[in-house]
Amino acid sequence: MTSLSSQMKTLVAPSLVDFEPYDPKFTSTRINLSANENTHEMPAGTKMAVCEALSKVQLNRYPDPMANGLRKTIAEWRQCDSACICVGNGGDELLFNFLLAFGGQGRKLLNCPPSFSEYELFSKITNTEVVNVWRNLETFCIDEEAALNAASDANLVILTSPNNPTGDVVSREFVSSVCEVCPGIVMVDEAYDEFSRKELSCDDLLGKHDNLITLHTLSKAFGLAGIRCGYIIASPDIIDVFASVRQIYSVNALTQAVAAAVIANRDEYQGVCEDIKFERQRLLSAFNCMRDDGLPIEVWPSESNFLLVRVPDATFVHKRLRDEFSILVRDFSSTAGLKNCLRIAVGTQSENDELIEAIKTILSTNN
Ligand SMILES: *Cc1c(COP(=O)(O)O)cnc(C)c1O
């Protein structure tokens, strides 16, 4: 891992001295299941609509800053007012803006790790104190009592449902209680909510709690990680705050056009999501069968498009998958609480078949 040069360490803001330049460890492989992307092809009708929409974009003009056309499309889909939507350059930008607007020196974020690493990164950049309430490291369940206690004193809370990388969901009752005790703002990150059961989403709690935000993205279920488009739903007052701190043109014209075209064709994605959920179940069963056959693998159930598994010497398994089979998964071995864990995105049927065979081979010969 690289760090900043010694000269830069004397020049950057003190809070950034320990920073390491982001290294996504990108290697090109035949099968990439490392970033929870959707590896299914874009449905044919949607593809045509996207091409058509792109051909009409006026590239010489600045984009509409608030993406009002796209906002309206999202609002109609999610059955809320456009004033309750803010679009961002990926969910990541909205997470950053959440910390920028509501965090800062002397303010506290409640985080429940192991979870998405960006929360802590953005907290550091914005000088926000992170209060970690750790999950149970066997089940990955949140310690709800401890979290409620910490929430009563937090300026910001992020709950991730389904959680990345553990795959579990939080209960809506718990989210409601957090919103009630927290004097600050509560964000539920639902980046993967299309893969979970509809009745588990917190979107319909928005009317009940004016300090609640839900975060969504087109990167996962809609397979649009490359265009960078996410959105939040919240009260108009909260949206005004996001509107005031965001980079004015963060969501470019091509992204606005593609996102609107895809959402208009969203019905075509139901089959894609159903297939991913079916394949998730098949992978889960395959891993459980391996365990029943005496192979050393543990897997957690998931409401998302990935599975977390634990295997002996995970870093070596990760390397063998990459070098012998050209399959890339994500190694979480060095993340606190996730010793020997790998996160594997659910791919297409044939990708998953290859993955299952490769893991079987590796676990049978790894000693
Ligand atoms: C992928 C992801 C996001 C957002 O991703 P973008 O590509 O920036 O929209 C947000 N939260 C979690 C937990 C994620 O895994």
Side-chain angles (χ1 to χ4, degrees):
M1 193 57 91
T2 57
S3 63
L4 300 181
S5 72
S6 45
Q7 192 203 6
M8 282 305 133
K9 284 189 184 187
T10 67
L11 296 175
V12 293
S15 57
L16 302 185
V17 167
D18 299 334
F19 268 50
E20 292 164 350
Y22 180 65
D23 169 17
K25 298 206 179 59
F26 186 78
T27 23
S28 157
T29 47
R30 202 168 42 90
I31 296 178
N32 186 343
L33 304 175
S34 70
N36 297 344
E37 293 149 339
N38 182 341
T39 62
H40 288 60
E41 270 210 57
M42 181 178 276
T46 307
K47 204 176 225 169
M48 270 167 51
V50 164
C51 289
E52 164 96 24
L54 280 174
S55 71
K56 290 188 188 145
V57 177
Q58 293 192 298
L59 293 175
N60 61 321
R61 300 290 180 192
Y62 282 102
D64 172 355
M66 283 299 281
N68 283 317
L70 174 57
R71 257 177 123 188
K72 197 160 158 271
T73 307
I74 295 173
E76 277 162 12
W77 167 33
R78 308 311 308 251
Q79 297 180 326
C80 62
D81 197 286
S82 312
C84 300
I85 304 280
C86 182
V87 186
N89 187 318
D92 283 2
E93 184 195 25
L94 295 160
L95 283 168
F96 184 83
N97 288 348
F98 181 45
L99 268 300
L100 183 66
F102 295 99
Q105 191 87 52
R107 302 173 67 86
K108 292 183 198 166
L109 165 76
L110 166 60
N111 181 42
C112 299
S115 191
F116 195 37
S117 59
E118 310 277 280
Y119 309 149
E120 290 202 57
L121 175 69
F122 296 156
S123 299
K124 271 195 185 170
I125 297 175
T126 59
N127 268 311
T128 309
E129 183 188 339
V130 179
V131 177
N132 278 328
V133 171
W134 284 83
R135 290 159 185 265
N136 176 305
L137 293 179
E138 294 295 317
T139 60
F140 294 125
C141 288
I142 290 181
D143 180 341
E144 297 193 352
E145 205 182 306
L148 278 172
N149 259 324
S152 67
D153 183 34
N155 303 98
L156 316 84
V157 176
I158 302 180
L159 299 168
T160 319
S161 188
N163 186 42
N164 176 9
T166 61
D168 59 308
V169 291
V170 292
S171 81
R172 292 157 38 90
E173 293 69 30
F174 173 62
V175 171
S176 269
S177 309
V178 171
C179 289
E180 271 160 28
V181 302
C182 180
I185 309 284
V186 179
M187 176 184 275
V188 181
D189 180 343
E190 296 198 340
Y192 300 96
D193 113 280
E194 291 88 349
F195 304 109
S196 113
R197 283 163 284 156
K198 198 157 177 40
E199 66 272 19
L200 299 176
S201 166
C202 291
D203 283 329
D204 63 351
L205 297 177
L206 287 161
K208 240 172 77 184
H209 304 287
D210 59 10
N211 60 340
L212 176 64
I213 302 174
T214 61
L215 175 74
H216 298 271
T217 178
L218 302 184
S219 294
K220 310 288 164 50
F222 293 95
L224 293 176
I227 72 166
R228 314 303 304 123
C229 187
Y231 63 98
I232 51 168
I233 315 179
S235 72
D237 285 353
I238 292 179
I239 298 299
D240 282 346
V241 175
F242 277 79
S244 64
V245 300
R246 66 191 291 278
Q247 295 281 322
I248 300 177
Y249 298 121
S250 71
V251 184
N252 74 70
L254 298 169
T255 294
Q256 293 186 25
V258 174
V262 168
I263 292 169
N265 285 273
R266 61 187 175 272
D267 290 350
E268 277 201 312
Y269 286 80
Q270 267 169 18
V272 174
C273 286
E274 284 310 313
D275 188 59
I276 291 170
K277 288 193 271 183
F278 178 85
E279 286 291 313
R280 171 181 77 203
Q281 186 56 38
R282 197 169 70 84
L283 272 182
L284 180 75
S285 311
F287 294 146
N288 279 326
C289 280
M290 290 181 207
R291 185 204 53 204
D292 294 344
D293 289 343
L295 291 178
I297 185 167
E298 184 183 0
V299 58
W300 283 267
S302 165
E303 292 277 347
S304 195
N305 69 336
F306 54 81
L307 291 169
L308 190 73
V309 303
R310 180 171 275 150
V311 292
D313 205 353
T315 299
F316 189 54
V317 173
H318 169 268
K319 187 173 168 342
R320 286 193 63 188
L321 274 172
R322 186 191 63 199
D323 299 343
E324 293 170 34
F325 299 89
S326 197
I327 298 176
L328 195 64
V329 300
R330 179 73 184 271
D331 181 11
F332 275 94
S333 311
S334 52
T335 299
L338 296 175
K339 196 162 186 291
N340 279 325
C341 286
L342 301 174
R343 189 194 66 197
I344 305 173
V346 177
T348 59
Q349 183 185 352
S350 64
E351 289 174 326
N352 301 331
D353 283 343
E354 290 201 45
L355 175 87
I356 291 167
E357 285 314 307
I359 297 229
K360 238 186 240 172
T361 307
I362 292 172
L363 292 182
S364 324
T365 54
N366 217 18
N367 39 40

